[in-house]
Amino acid sequence: MGQNPAQKAAQAAGGQQPKKRPGKAQREASLRAQAARKKAAGGKPAVKKAVAKKTVPLPRGSLRAAYGGTCQACFKDYAKGEVITKATEGWAHPGCAPRRLSAAEREFARNKARIESGETFRGQKPSDWRRGASPSSTRPAR
């Protein structure tokens, strides 16, 4: 009585109850006991230390050279593992390579040049809209 279906099935199969997972406090106590036993035996405690290399994040679009080569901008050599970036004619030091503009920066520069040259507002055709009228009541196109 008071058994769930899994316990009933386990009892019918072999007369054994399913094992319960120990609680957090029990797990921590068993780990402490294991560490104390190892320490008493003269070994080091069972604590793993993750040794991670401190890596400096690379600039966007850069990577470390797989092998040595020559910078295509300044023609000086770079060693294996040195930070390089893609240039128009191969690979170069990040300081030597011309900076690539993002799509938004290119669009901004293009629009600025058009405005400064007077191309934008001068080159547009006059509006078909009449003052106080809706777009549907515009005069016919010429």
Side-chain angles (χ1 to χ4, degrees):
M1 290 210 292
Q3 293 180 342
N4 65 23
Q7 290 172 333
K8 287 179 183 176
Q11 190 174 16
Q16 296 177 350
Q17 292 285 333
K19 290 185 178 180
K20 289 186 177 180
R21 188 170 166 203
K24 184 177 180 183
Q26 290 172 332
R27 286 194 303 267
E28 288 175 354
S30 67
L31 287 175
R32 279 194 302 262
Q34 286 176 354
R37 271 183 262 143
K38 278 197 174 188
K39 209 173 205 181
K44 291 185 179 178
V47 177
K48 291 185 180 179
K49 291 184 180 178
V51 179
K53 291 182 181 178
K54 290 193 175 187
T55 57
V56 178
L58 298 175
R60 187 173 177 160
S62 298
L63 52 88
R64 296 204 180 273
Y67 48 88
T70 306
C71 174
Q72 296 298 312
C74 68
F75 299 105
K76 291 182 181 174
D77 293 334
Y78 55 82
K80 177 182 176 180
E82 200 170 322
V83 178
I84 56 174
T85 187
K86 185 73 174 155
T88 53
E89 298 276 331
W91 296 93
H93 298 113
C96 301
R99 191 173 85 80
R100 285 183 169 177
L101 298 176
S102 68
E105 289 171 324
R106 285 193 304 269
E107 180 72 19
F108 176 80
R110 196 176 310 121
N111 289 340
K112 184 177 177 184
R114 287 178 62 202
I115 289 169
E116 287 174 348
S117 70
E119 177 187 337
T120 39
F121 302 106
R122 249 185 250 155
Q124 290 180 357
K125 64 176 188 169
S127 173
D128 289 345
W129 287 41
R130 280 187 266 150
R131 188 176 176 139
S134 67
S136 61
S137 63
T138 57
R139 59 180 175 243
R142 297 181 203 170

